[in-house]
């Protein structure tokens, strides 16, 4: 019998760790012919290749080299390049991950070719249509045949949108499965990192910012940095700067906030694990800190990952300077009073659940 051809399609930094366990488990089975397609949405060494190295992943089988651009141009380029690949290499199924432009571009290209789509990390909703990721999530789910979800809110969202219950599979979080696998190495890495950054366990905070709503306007970014800056004079704050953010940041007074290059995956996990607290507008970091039980101050007004607030260590602080300052002070004094439970299925068996549900659905 001919194997079922499956393309796993990824393009941006947070996709790679979600893909890895799925790739490994699918590849173990002779009945599947599995290929990794890298769209090239992220292309800097630190944003892409370093992740493949850290995760011990094979080179992508196909690299499309789409690169940056406006949303429409980037999405269109990924679609064109992928469609050309489909001219010679037609999969039976594609797997897409998360909510980035590569996710919707791949799904839209595949569905018109009659290729089936499995969406990993389906159903999350921020209910904020000004976020490009929210548009990508809703549209990708609309045209996917299988919806693999990380938390119960996603099931409710998908059902409300009219998706068939049979298509929805609560499997857990593949990003956490990958995280668990690197924790021992990340723990060992801290010795080097603490020397390099002159920090001690729980003696520093970690900051990331890259959401367009926070970093595309200089005024907004300055407001957030202005709230954080005074604390950095007394307590080390390490800030790996995303390429999108660095464009506006160079004209802003960052005081003693320690700006560093985007980090390798294992190093970043290590710094999360050992931080007193983390401040971020990322989706994935809200989840990773919940698993690691490290307090997370989320500098956004909403989250598509409500479980991290309900049972995890996440607090939706927003971006109002006074609130940022108040919560930073509480975090520094250890007065956040957080619950810290691990969401169901956020474990090392997520990809097993995905594969068994996938096989059942074939
Ligand atoms: C994308 C995702 C976002 C995800 C983030 C993680 C979308 C809509 N957004 O946002 O959900 O959280 O990745 O990083 O897909 N750039 C480089 N080098 C790179 C990649 C990007 O310099 O390797 C610069 C480019 O100038 C580019 C800008 O960063 O224009 C933004 O990159 P892009 O991939 O469009 O979106 P992100 O902001 O990274």
């Amino acid at each position: 019998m001919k194997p079922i051809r499956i393309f796993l399609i990824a393009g941006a930094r947070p996709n790679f760790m979600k893909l890895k366990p799925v790739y490994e488990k699918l590849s173990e089975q002779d009945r599947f012919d599995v290929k990794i397609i890298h769209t090239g949405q992220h292309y800097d060494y630190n944003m892409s290749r370093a992740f493949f190295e850290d995760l011990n992943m094979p080179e992508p089988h196909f690299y499309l080299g789409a690169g940056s651009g406006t949303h429409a141009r980037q999405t269109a380029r990924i679609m064109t390049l992928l469609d050309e690949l489909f001219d010679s290499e037609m999969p039976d199924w594609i797997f897409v991950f998360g909510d980035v432009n590569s996710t919707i571009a791949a799904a839209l290209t595949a569905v018109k070719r009659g290729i089936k789509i499995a969406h990993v990390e389906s159903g999350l909703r921020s209910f904020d249509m000004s976020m490009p990721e929210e548009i990508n999530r809703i549209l990708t789910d609309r045209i996917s045949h299988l919806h693999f979800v990380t938390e119960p809110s996603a099931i409710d969202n998908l059902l409300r949108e009219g998706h068939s219950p049979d298509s929805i599979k609560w499997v857990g979080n593949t990003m956490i499965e990958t995280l668990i696998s690197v924790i021992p190495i990340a723990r060992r890495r801290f010795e080097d990192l603490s020397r390099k950054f002159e920090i001690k366990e729980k003696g520093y905070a970690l900051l990331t910012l890259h959401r367009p709503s926070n970093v595309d306007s200089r005024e907004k970014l300055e407001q957030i940095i202005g709230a954080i800056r005074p604390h950095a004079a007394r307590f080390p704050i390490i800030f790996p700067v995303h390429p999108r953010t660095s464009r506006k940041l160079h004209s802003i007074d960052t005081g003693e906030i320690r700006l560093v290059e985007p980090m390798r995956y294992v190093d970043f996990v290590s710094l999360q694990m050992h931080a007193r607290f983390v401040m971020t507008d990322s989706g994935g970091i809200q989840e990773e800190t919940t698993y690691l039980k490290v307090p997370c101050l989320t500098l956004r007004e909403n989250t598509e990952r409500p479980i991290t607030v309900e049972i995890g260590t996440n607090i939706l602080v927003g971006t109002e300077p006074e609130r940022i300052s108040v919560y930073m002070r509480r975090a520094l004094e250890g007065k956040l009073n957080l619950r810290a439970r691990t969401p169901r299925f956020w474990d090392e068996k997520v990809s097993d659940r995905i594969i068994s549900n996938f096989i059942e659905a074939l």
Side-chain angles (χ1 to χ4, degrees), residues 63-303:
Y63 183 80
L64 305 180
S68 300
T70 62
H71 285 272
R73 286 187 199 139
Q74 185 177 62
T75 308
R77 207 167 315 128
I78 298 168
M79 289 183 69
T80 306
L81 292 163
L82 191 59
D83 203 46
E84 282 166 12
L85 177 64
F86 288 160
D87 282 340
S88 52
E89 307 270 342
M90 270 290 276
D92 302 296
W93 277 84
I94 64 163
F95 277 60
V96 292
F97 302 82
D99 55 17
V100 301
N101 286 341
S102 298
T103 311
I104 179 61
L108 196 49
T109 311
V111 74
K112 302 262 182 109
R113 291 259 190 174
I115 299 163
K116 295 244 181 125
I117 303 161
H119 185 200
V120 176
E121 197 191 273
S122 173
L124 297 179
R125 298 289 181 265
S126 65
F127 304 100
D128 174 0
M129 287 298 277
S130 70
M131 277 179 90
E133 292 83 358
E134 182 74 355
I135 299 165
N136 295 343
R137 289 179 200 119
I138 293 172
L139 299 183
T140 303
D141 282 338
R142 188 66 264 155
I143 55 179
S144 292
H145 303 84
L146 270 178
H147 303 95
F148 292 117
V149 309
T150 52
E151 62 166 89
S153 72
I155 303 175
D156 299 341
N157 295 333
L158 289 167
L159 291 175
R160 198 180 332 99
E161 290 171 18
H163 291 282
S164 153
D166 294 341
S167 76
I168 305 169
K169 313 289 179 193
W170 184 12
V171 292
N173 194 323
T174 58
M175 192 189 60
I176 298 299
E177 180 170 358
T178 299
L179 175 76
I180 294 169
S181 72
V182 302
I183 284 177
I185 319 168
R187 193 168 285 132
R188 289 196 295 277
R189 276 293 294 149
F190 192 65
E191 204 182 308
D192 273 0
L193 292 168
S194 63
R195 226 175 294 124
K196 178 170 168 193
F197 294 114
E198 297 175 334
I199 47 174
K200 289 204 287 281
E201 184 165 356
K202 306 284 173 227
Y204 65 97
L206 190 58
L207 168 66
T208 81
L209 290 169
H210 77 280
R211 287 262 95 75
S213 58
N214 282 344
V215 307
D216 284 1
S217 134
R218 187 185 178 282
E219 289 68 41
K220 181 76 182 189
L221 184 59
E222 190 163 39
Q223 195 189 343
I224 296 172
I225 295 292
I228 296 170
R229 192 175 50 220
H231 299 276
R234 294 183 297 277
F235 193 74
I237 296 177
I238 300 182
F239 182 12
V241 181
H242 187 282
R244 175 187 279 281
T245 313
S246 70
R247 281 194 234 131
K248 293 279 180 329
L249 202 63
H250 59 78
S251 63
I252 293 174
D253 175 12
T254 49
E256 290 170 60
I257 300 173
R258 304 223 211 138
L259 311 185
V260 300
E261 291 288 306
M263 274 187 191
R264 300 185 75 103
Y265 175 60
V266 170
D267 289 0
F268 190 74
V269 170
S270 182
L271 286 192
Q272 281 190 82
M273 284 169 70
H274 298 94
R276 172 97 54 101
F277 64 99
V278 175
M279 288 176 286
T280 193
D281 59 8
S282 146
I285 295 171
Q286 296 172 50
E287 298 183 331
E288 289 176 341
T289 47
T290 276
Y291 184 82
L292 297 169
K293 304 196 181 341
V294 172
C296 178
L297 308 183
T298 293
L299 307 181
R300 284 174 49 186
E301 308 300 335
N302 53 50
T303 179

